[in-house]
Amino acid sequence: MSEVGALLREDLRGRTAYGAPQLQVPVALNTNESSYAVPQSVVDAIVAEVSAVAPSLNRYPDREFTMLREQLAGYLTRTTGVEFDIDQVWAGNGSNEVLSHLVQTFGGPGRTALGFTPSYSMHPIIAQGAGMAWVDGLRRGALESGAFDIDLDEAVRQAHEHDPSLVFLCSPNNPTGTALPLEIVTAVYDAAPNAVVVVDEAYAEFARPGTPSAVTLLQGRERLVVTRTMSKAFAFAGVRLGYLAAAGDLTELLRLVRLPYHLSSVTQAVARAALSHADTMLEMVEAIKTERDRMVEQTRSLGFMPVASDANFVLIGGFADAQQTWQALLDQGVLVRDVGIPHHLRITAGTPAETDEVLAALADLAPGHRQQASEETP
């Protein structure tokens, strides 16, 4: 161990950092980015907004990012049918920073976070990085039935047992793509009276018609938080802008832990430009959903086992060895994600041409990459 390694916190030793391969390949579908470039009309608006703030970059940005919060509140109101005001909205450099603010405010050493795995891998990393104990809650059928559902009664039991300070729910869930019924959110909320319950809705805009959003539950629930991001549906992964909706009393507390002037003037300007053109930005969502659904249908026709998805990706099962198949696809120029679930790979929905490439690569796999009937989970 190096000299500086010996100084590392005991609870961080032996852990690995979050990271997905960033490789130059013809078809990169491993990080759920949008394959569509930002439309030129929005690029022009971004340039104009940044030009307007550039002369004042010698000054700190608006610490309260007031105009941005107004636009985020307006966007949520228009798209969800729930009325939001500025005090109910918070933002950060990606939803990961927003999640970090929540953990810093309501977590820490001596407190427990509960999440239902498999789910977004950053939830435990952020919680444990702040010194929290992490509990892997169990999903019904995970790794057995392929359903990856959360059982309401089991979730309530685990919430009672662990008495967490934070509960993380993910809907649509990453990496499975499955959405949560709202009764599970309310049941967990009631079963964890000492917890802030966080519903991560990073992929909400991709949900199939009729899929409910937890923002409809916020009224009267001061411990409930819904987080979102502009990285996915807005094709804005390079901007790093995430946000949350919650009671005003909760968002006020986040000011205790945020770093001074944490959102730069440029970030605020770029995000405002995109929100001013939200309809244009979201036109890409329907195209991505079409490719997602095509991937579900055609991988099933190829004999694989896709999980029906409400996100911009599909978790596909039926591989004999996920890591070997990941490499075989990479050898064909297709980069997907091995999320650590046996026999499964996660593939982002991209352009029609990228879907064609993925399907061709899957069809071209040698027979040995397919999970045999005797190996298949019941």
Side-chain angles (χ1 to χ4, degrees):
M1 181 182 296
S2 68
E3 182 179 357
V4 70
L7 302 178
L8 183 66
R9 279 169 30 194
E10 289 285 349
D11 59 317
L12 294 181
R13 293 181 181 178
R15 294 186 183 166
T16 56
Y18 173 88
Q22 290 186 302
L23 306 176
Q24 296 299 315
V25 295
V27 182
L29 298 174
N30 67 321
T31 54
N32 300 339
E33 302 160 306
S34 175
S35 292
Y36 293 88
V38 176
Q40 187 59 48
S41 61
V42 183
V43 172
D44 294 340
I46 290 170
V47 171
E49 286 281 355
V50 173
S51 294
V53 303
S56 62
L57 291 179
N58 59 309
R59 300 295 185 183
Y60 286 117
D62 173 13
R63 183 177 57 238
E64 298 304 317
F65 46 101
T66 306
M67 292 173 61
L68 176 58
R69 285 191 294 137
E70 287 176 348
Q71 286 184 263
L72 287 168
Y75 170 74
L76 285 172
T77 298
R78 290 193 306 275
T79 56
T80 68
V82 178
E83 191 72 28
F84 286 93
D85 62 48
I86 186 172
D87 293 333
Q88 293 176 277
V89 178
W90 186 255
N93 293 286
S95 59
N96 287 327
E97 184 176 48
V98 170
L99 293 168
S100 181
H101 287 164
L102 291 166
V103 170
Q104 288 177 274
T105 306
F106 301 105
R111 297 192 174 194
T112 298
L114 169 66
F116 297 89
T117 52
S119 193
Y120 182 38
S121 60
M122 280 304 300
H123 292 159
I125 291 174
I126 293 171
Q128 292 173 319
M132 296 192 78
W134 175 265
V135 174
D136 275 322
L138 301 177
R139 290 175 177 266
R140 176 183 60 199
L143 311 185
E144 283 86 32
S145 70
F148 299 106
D149 294 329
I150 292 180
D151 179 80
L152 188 150
D153 292 336
E154 181 62 19
V156 167
R157 184 195 67 78
Q158 292 176 83
H160 281 308
E161 176 184 349
H162 299 291
D163 188 26
S165 297
L166 280 162
V167 177
F168 291 95
L169 301 170
C170 198
S171 182
N173 185 52
N174 178 13
T176 64
T178 49
L180 277 178
L182 293 186
E183 55 264 34
I184 290 181
V185 177
T186 56
V188 170
Y189 183 92
D190 293 340
N194 299 312
V196 168
V197 177
V198 181
V199 183
D200 187 332
E201 289 192 348
Y203 302 93
E205 287 93 344
F206 298 99
R208 290 169 291 180
T211 303
S213 168
V215 299
T216 60
L217 302 176
L218 287 170
Q219 182 66 36
R221 294 182 174 88
E222 293 189 354
R223 296 181 289 106
L224 183 63
V225 178
V226 179
T227 63
R228 291 199 172 187
T229 182
M230 294 181 70
S231 294
K232 311 302 181 183
F234 274 80
F236 245 35
V239 176
R240 312 307 302 128
L241 197 292
Y243 59 101
L244 64 75
D249 287 347
L250 187 149
T251 61
E252 176 65 29
L253 296 175
L254 301 180
R255 289 173 170 82
L256 297 173
V257 300
R258 60 99 176 264
L259 296 175
Y261 313 104
H262 71 290
L263 282 176
S264 76
S265 297
V266 173
T267 297
Q268 293 183 45
V270 171
R272 290 198 308 267
L275 287 164
S276 296
H277 294 77
D279 291 344
T280 299
M281 297 294 278
L282 296 177
E283 286 176 357
M284 298 172 282
V285 168
E286 291 304 317
I288 293 169
K289 290 167 65 175
T290 296
E291 295 310 304
R292 173 200 67 194
D293 295 341
R294 180 160 80 100
M295 191 153 49
V296 169
E297 178 183 350
Q298 296 198 20
T299 55
R300 186 178 290 118
S301 297
L302 288 172
F304 298 105
M305 295 177 287
V307 178
S309 175
D310 282 293
N312 70 338
F313 57 83
V314 182
L315 183 69
I316 300 173
F319 303 108
D321 184 299
Q323 178 59 33
Q324 289 184 8
T325 302
W326 177 88
Q327 184 62 57
L329 293 174
L330 182 60
D331 291 342
Q332 297 188 62
V334 176
L335 178 61
V336 300
R337 188 70 173 267
D338 180 359
V339 293
I341 301 176
H343 310 297
H344 289 74
L345 293 170
R346 192 193 71 191
I347 305 179
T348 306
T351 65
E354 287 174 329
T355 304
D356 291 342
E357 293 284 350
V358 168
L359 294 171
L362 289 170
D364 196 48
L365 288 172
H369 285 284
R370 294 176 180 269
Q371 191 177 4
Q372 300 302 309
S374 60
E375 299 177 301
E376 292 179 5
T377 50

